[in-house]
């Protein structure tokens, strides 16, 4: 990443361990749920060019994890991301909550992010993304009895409020879900590239790849 880029990471893991990040990453949210237990966290950083190609996130107990990292090009965004309240449920669908942004109607990149745990039954299948969230769809299921499922998708829309429809799964799962917004700048939507990482065996060290130029 170059100086002035906005970096963000959405991290999901099984259970509810204490999660430690490198210095310099600002927490937008951290939410956990019980039985089936899962955690999801979103942090961001205004890049100074020293970040390298990855970061290490640690958990105080061994867990499986999944992560998506984004790099928003300098000059195409304004300010810090904002997030909705959290939605948590147990069932076959989860609806990212409606989000009204502090900056009002502007060119905004909206992300639906969700984490799911099926209480040890194995890999989770996603069948439907939110309507109009057709860009940057990414699904990652680590599988196994300690697995976690993690999904993101994006919509660019010039509006003050976005209310995504539901993610739908092929079975009943325990879910955590939010909507995240990033404001555009200079009359353009944010220009974002992604990188993906996961840990398919239980570990306390989780290496997250960052997007490179």
């Amino acid at each position: 990443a170059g100086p002035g880029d906005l970096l963000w990471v959405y991290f999901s893991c099984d259970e509810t361990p204490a999660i430690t990040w490198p210095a310099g990453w600002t927490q937008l949210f951290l939410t956990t749920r019980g039985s089936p237990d899962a955690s999801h966290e979103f942090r961001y950083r205004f890049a100074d060019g020293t970040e390298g190609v990855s970061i290490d996130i640690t958990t105080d107990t061994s867990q499986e994890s999944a992560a998506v990292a984004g790099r928003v090009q300098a000059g195409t965004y304004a300010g810090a991301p904002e997030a909705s309240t959290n939605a948590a449920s147990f069932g076959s669908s989860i609806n990212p909550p409606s989000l009204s942004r502090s900056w009002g109607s502007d060119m905004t990149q909206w992300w639906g992010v969700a984490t799911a745990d099926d209480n040890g039954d194995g890999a989770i299948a996603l069948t439907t993304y939110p309507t109009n969230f057709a860009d940057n769809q990414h699904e990652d299921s680590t599988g196994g009895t300690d697995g976690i499922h993690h999904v993101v998708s994006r919509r660019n829309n010039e509006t003050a409020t976005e209310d995504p429809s539901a993610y739908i799964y092929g079975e009943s799962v325990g879910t955590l879900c939010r909507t995240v917004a990033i404001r555009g700048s200079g009359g353009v939507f944010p220009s974002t590239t992604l990188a993906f990482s996961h840990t398919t065996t239980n570990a306390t060290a989780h290496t997250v790849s960052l997007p490179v130029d």
Side-chain angles (χ1 to χ4, degrees):
D5 289 347
L6 171 66
L7 295 172
W8 57 262
V9 173
Y10 177 56
F11 178 81
S12 305
C13 67
D14 196 26
E15 304 295 338
T16 57
I19 304 170
T20 302
W21 292 64
W25 289 81
T26 300
Q27 184 184 85
L28 185 61
F29 63 79
L30 166 64
T31 312
T32 63
R33 61 159 295 127
S35 193
D37 297 356
S39 304
H40 74 160
E41 186 169 11
F42 190 108
R43 294 203 183 205
Y44 64 91
R45 174 185 174 95
F46 298 110
D48 60 14
T50 65
E51 288 76 17
V53 298
S54 66
I55 61 171
D56 290 325
I57 298 172
T58 61
T59 51
D60 68 341
T61 56
S62 293
Q63 305 296 338
E64 295 184 16
S65 70
V68 175
R71 178 180 67 85
V72 188
Q73 183 179 341
T76 69
Y77 75 92
E82 297 185 9
S84 70
T85 58
N86 188 72
S89 71
F90 185 83
S92 60
S93 67
I94 182 68
N95 197 157
S98 177
L99 178 59
S100 295
R101 295 322 333 122
S102 63
W103 53 78
S105 182
D106 204 349
M107 304 184 82
T108 300
Q109 189 164 94
W110 305 88
W111 291 89
V113 300
T115 294
D117 190 336
D118 66 355
N119 211 24
D121 294 336
I124 296 169
L126 183 76
T127 62
T128 305
Y129 284 85
T131 303
N132 296 321
F133 279 68
D135 298 320
N136 290 122
Q137 293 180 343
H138 175 72
E139 176 188 5
D140 196 345
S141 185
T142 66
T145 58
D146 297 312
I148 197 74
H149 184 277
H150 162 112
V151 61
V152 301
S153 59
R154 174 178 67 82
R155 181 185 190 189
N156 287 338
N157 193 16
E158 187 175 356
T159 182
T161 300
E162 185 71 43
D163 188 10
S165 58
Y167 288 105
I168 300 176
Y169 300 87
E171 61 180 298
S172 290
V173 292
T175 51
L176 297 162
C177 192
R178 295 212 189 211
T179 304
V180 174
I182 301 172
R183 187 180 188 180
S185 179
V188 299
F189 289 107
S191 176
T192 304
T193 56
L194 301 181
F196 313 106
S197 312
H198 66 208
T199 303
T200 56
T201 56
N202 285 331
T204 57
H206 310 266
T207 298
V208 175
S209 298
L210 300 178
V212 296
D213 295 337

